[in-house]
Each structure stands twice: as C-alpha cells, then as structure tokens.
Amino acid sequence: RDVAPSRGLGDVYKRQYKDKAKGTWYASFYFENWTGKKEKKMKRGFKTKREALEWERTFLQQQTADLDMTFESFVALYAADMKGRIKANTWGTKEHILYKKLVPYFGKRKMSEIHSKEVMAWQSEMLNYRDKNGNPYSPVYLKTLHNQLSAVFNHAVKHYNLKVNPAAQVGNMGKAKGREMLFWTKAEYLKFAEAMMDKPLSFYAFEVLYWCGVREGELLALTPEDFDFEKRTVTINKSYQRLNKQDVVTTPKTPKSNRVIQMPQFLCDELQDYLKQFYGVEPDSRMFPISKSYLHREMDRGCKQTGVKRIRIHDLRHSHISLLIDMGFTALAIAERVGHESIDITYRYAHLFPTRQVEMADKLDLLKNEKGV
C-alpha cells in the first residue's frame, strides 16, 4: 500500500493510504476528543488522495471548531448540535432551508470569511427569486430564511468563538406578519359542513376542528382513549406529522397546548356514532387516519361545491376563537381552551373583542354623580 504522511490541525499525525486492490484511498489517524482522550478515526472509499485529505481536514476542523472550515462543514456541526434538541417536524423545516437555500450559496466559503457584504448579496438573490410562474418568495418566508441564516451564525458566536454575526449586522428582510387572518361565521361553516356529510371521515374531522379549535396535528393524533364521553372531554397531549414517509407523533406545539377540552353534547354524540362505524378499533389507534393534504383537498371540494370562501385549515381555529369572542367569553377562558397564553389572544384578536369604551364612560358618569363630586 502507498502511504502519504502529513501534519495537520492540532498536530495530529495523519496518513492517507491507498488500497491497491480496490484502487481507492482511505484516511486513518488519531485525534483528541472533547474529553482529551485519543481516538482513532478511519474512513475508506475515496477516489483520490486529495479527497481523503479534504475529508480528514474537515473532520478535524469540526473537532476543534476551527472557523476556517467551510459554511457547509459548520452546518454539519450545527446539525449535530441541534437535531436532537428540537422536534422532528421543526428540524425538517430547518434542514430544508439549510441545505436548499443556504448551503448552495455559502457552502464553500469559510465561516471566518463570510461578512455582511456576502449576506447582502445573498439577500438580493432571495429577494429577486421568481418561480416558474413568476412569483417571488413571500415576505414571511424571506424573514424565515434570514432568521435561519442568523441562527447558524449565532450558534457560531455563542459556542465556537466567532467574533460577530454578519447576518445580524445586515438586518432582516421580509416581515413577520403572515397572510390576513380569515375565518368563517357559524353560518358559513354549517353550509360547508353540509357538503362534507357524504364522507363521514371528512365531516367528523372538520366538526372537531371547528367546534374544538384544535390544530391540524392535534386532530390527526387523536385516539379513542383521548375521549371521555361521560365527562364530555377530549385530552390534547400529542401531535401528528408525516415526515420522510413515516408517521411521527410528538408532544404538542407548546407546553400550554397540553389541555383538556370540554365538548358540546352534540359533538360527543356525533363522535360516538363515528366510532361505531369502526370494527374492533383499538383505543390507541388514530381516529382520523388521513393526511393534512387530504384535509386541504376536502376543503377545496367543499368550498367549490358551496361557494363558501376558501380559508386555510388553520383558519378554522381562528373561526372557533372568533365564535367564542362573539359569544362573550374572556381572553383568559378562550386561551385555556385553545392552548394559548391569554396575552396572545388579547393581542392577536383585539380587533374582534367588542369595545367597552362607551360603557366605561357611562360608569364614570354614574360614579361622579354618586359621590357628588
């Protein structure tokens, strides 16, 4: 075998070997791990000595957090640090942005050599992007892209001694506010629901979404054992996602999302009828074994059939909250039901709460007269 010795990062003695039988190269070397203990590392199958040396160099840069490493190499380090700390669906979104929107642009640049001007050039490219139909990225998506880039550099600043976050220097692009919040009135929902009655699975799924205000993932994770029909309750303690062609059940979106919802009697009756349609259903099996795309297609069908305006599935949650506001319930009571903080309900739905300014002024009048001031 041919041996190519070299000295590199951290004074680790390394050799690249050639496997003459296979005609490929492999790297074999010792390094100090985070505990200070020496470990041996070996990787085979490189076509050239250069490839073996490059892999070796990248590995050691990651071990020592040398910021002369490329952005692509640091992203691999960032992924190793972060992946196990966040939910699978959240990581899936991050991973897509990292490897589809950031690595293709910054991948081969060294972390220490990415400055604000490079970030501004990337922003310009994202702002000027147009898809095959000529549509740009939405302002919300642009902000999400920038936030993820900034998160990578923040990680390098906080944990790997990068001096400054160039994305933070430049400032954000896009805006946080999403699409206009839409909702259906009760009359609109009932008209839509009537069109869903030809498919019981769809009908009962939308009934739970509208009358309980649950999220899509919460609905799709529901099992028979989550319901107590005597107490008229449903327990929300998990969320369903379909990731990489696999069913993934996680905890709900936030700790506040763990809650018990009181159901109206008519919904209890409907869901008991629904469960009777299943033969030998297991207590822990999904009651709605469908996908989010199925719900979207069914909403398209119902809206087209009835002429009711098309809203997002998540807007059914807004519809439930607006209905409760219209019925006179407080922000605190609504927040407990839907798994929000009351301040979020007050802030996001302030425009729907009836003003009490006139009532306040009238009571001040009465107070003045009572005191004889």
Side-chain angles (χ1 to χ4, degrees):
R1 63 186 178 184
D2 294 336
V3 180
S6 63
R7 284 271 178 185
L9 295 168
D11 291 330
V12 179
Y13 189 65
K14 305 169 293 183
R15 291 176 183 272
Q16 296 80 43
Y17 299 96
K18 187 169 186 180
D19 186 331
K20 290 187 175 180
K22 295 183 179 180
T24 58
W25 289 79
Y26 63 94
S28 179
F29 56 90
Y30 286 90
F31 70 99
E32 285 190 2
N33 65 19
W34 65 277
T35 67
K37 182 180 177 181
K38 282 192 174 182
E39 287 187 22
K40 185 176 182 179
K41 188 72 176 179
M42 184 170 71
K43 186 174 175 66
R44 299 177 179 275
F46 297 103
K47 293 181 180 179
T48 65
K49 174 188 169 184
R50 180 187 293 273
E51 288 179 4
L53 181 61
E54 181 61 31
W55 178 86
E56 195 176 87
R57 182 182 294 115
T58 297
F59 176 86
L60 291 168
Q61 284 175 331
Q62 290 176 342
Q63 293 301 309
T64 59
D66 185 338
L67 291 175
D68 275 343
M69 74 173 79
T70 64
F71 181 86
E72 184 174 19
S73 296
F74 186 80
V75 164
L77 193 60
Y78 173 79
D81 289 344
M82 297 298 295
K83 190 172 183 179
R85 298 172 181 267
I86 56 180
K87 292 181 182 178
N89 57 312
T90 304
W91 175 251
T93 301
K94 278 180 168 288
E95 188 175 39
H96 175 80
I97 292 173
L98 287 169
Y99 290 103
K100 297 297 183 182
K101 307 300 178 184
L102 303 183
V103 168
Y105 189 89
F106 295 105
K108 301 305 178 185
R109 302 168 192 253
K110 291 181 179 180
M111 286 290 290
S112 58
E113 295 178 356
I114 299 175
H115 305 298
S116 56
K117 59 184 178 65
E118 282 80 25
V119 174
M120 285 191 288
W122 168 78
Q123 283 188 343
S124 295
E125 188 166 306
M126 297 299 101
L127 287 164
N128 292 324
Y129 169 84
R130 296 294 183 272
D131 65 16
K132 61 182 180 181
N133 297 317
N135 299 315
Y137 288 138
S138 73
V140 175
Y141 189 63
L142 288 170
K143 186 175 179 68
T144 300
L145 293 178
H146 181 90
N147 285 347
Q148 185 53 67
L149 179 64
S150 190
V152 172
F153 285 113
N154 274 338
H155 194 73
V157 170
K158 187 174 182 179
H159 301 290
Y160 296 98
N161 300 318
L162 184 67
K163 290 182 179 180
V164 68
N165 178 345
Q169 286 183 312
V170 173
N172 220 317
M173 60 179 174
K175 60 181 181 179
K177 186 178 180 182
R179 287 173 51 182
E180 179 186 0
M181 186 188 297
L182 300 174
F183 55 89
W184 280 339
T185 63
K186 184 183 73 171
E188 287 175 314
Y189 171 70
L190 292 176
K191 186 176 181 180
F192 169 84
E194 188 174 353
M196 292 291 102
M197 288 182 178
D198 62 337
K199 291 186 180 180
L201 178 61
S202 301
F203 173 74
Y204 293 117
F206 282 110
E207 284 284 272
V208 176
L209 286 169
Y210 182 78
W211 296 110
C212 292
V214 297
R215 300 178 177 92
E216 282 177 89
E218 294 170 347
L219 168 82
L220 298 179
L222 288 175
T223 62
E225 65 185 2
D226 294 325
F227 291 85
D228 186 328
F229 292 115
E230 288 188 7
K231 294 182 179 179
R232 298 191 304 161
T233 62
V234 56
T235 299
I236 305 298
N237 57 16
K238 52 191 173 296
S239 182
Y240 168 87
Q241 306 286 337
R242 181 74 176 171
L243 298 172
N244 299 320
K245 298 182 180 180
Q246 291 186 330
D247 294 335
V248 178
V249 177
T250 67
T251 55
K253 186 175 182 180
T254 66
K256 190 82 173 178
S257 299
N258 283 284
R259 63 200 188 278
V260 176
I261 299 173
Q262 201 75 33
M263 296 183 294
Q265 186 60 53
F266 75 83
L267 186 58
C268 290
D269 296 340
E270 288 179 351
L271 291 174
Q272 288 179 90
D273 289 340
Y274 173 63
L275 286 174
K276 289 176 184 175
Q277 298 177 22
F278 294 92
Y279 177 76
V281 61
E282 296 295 328
D284 61 350
S285 59
R286 289 174 57 214
M287 283 180 58
F288 300 101
I290 53 178
S291 64
K292 291 184 178 181
S293 59
Y294 173 89
L295 288 172
H296 288 263
R297 290 194 300 272
E298 284 297 272
M299 180 167 273
D300 285 338
R301 180 176 72 90
C303 290
K304 185 176 181 180
Q305 186 173 328
T306 62
V308 174
K309 67 176 179 288
R310 176 65 160 90
I311 62 175
R312 297 171 300 175
I313 301 295
H314 191 72
D315 286 324
L316 289 171
R317 183 169 162 85
H318 298 318
S319 300
H320 180 70
I321 293 171
S322 68
L323 178 64
L324 296 178
I325 292 172
D326 192 54
M327 293 171 70
F329 292 102
T330 66
L332 179 60
I334 295 170
E336 289 176 353
R337 183 173 179 83
V338 299
H340 266 311
E341 296 291 343
S342 58
I343 188 66
D344 293 333
I345 296 293
T346 302
Y347 177 75
R348 295 190 67 194
Y349 300 90
H351 61 293
L352 297 180
F353 283 94
T355 178
R356 305 191 71 182
Q357 292 292 329
V358 173
E359 183 182 352
M360 290 177 188
D362 289 344
K363 286 193 174 182
L364 288 170
D365 270 331
L366 289 173
L367 182 65
K368 179 182 178 184
N369 293 331
E370 285 172 3
K371 297 297 183 181
V373 178

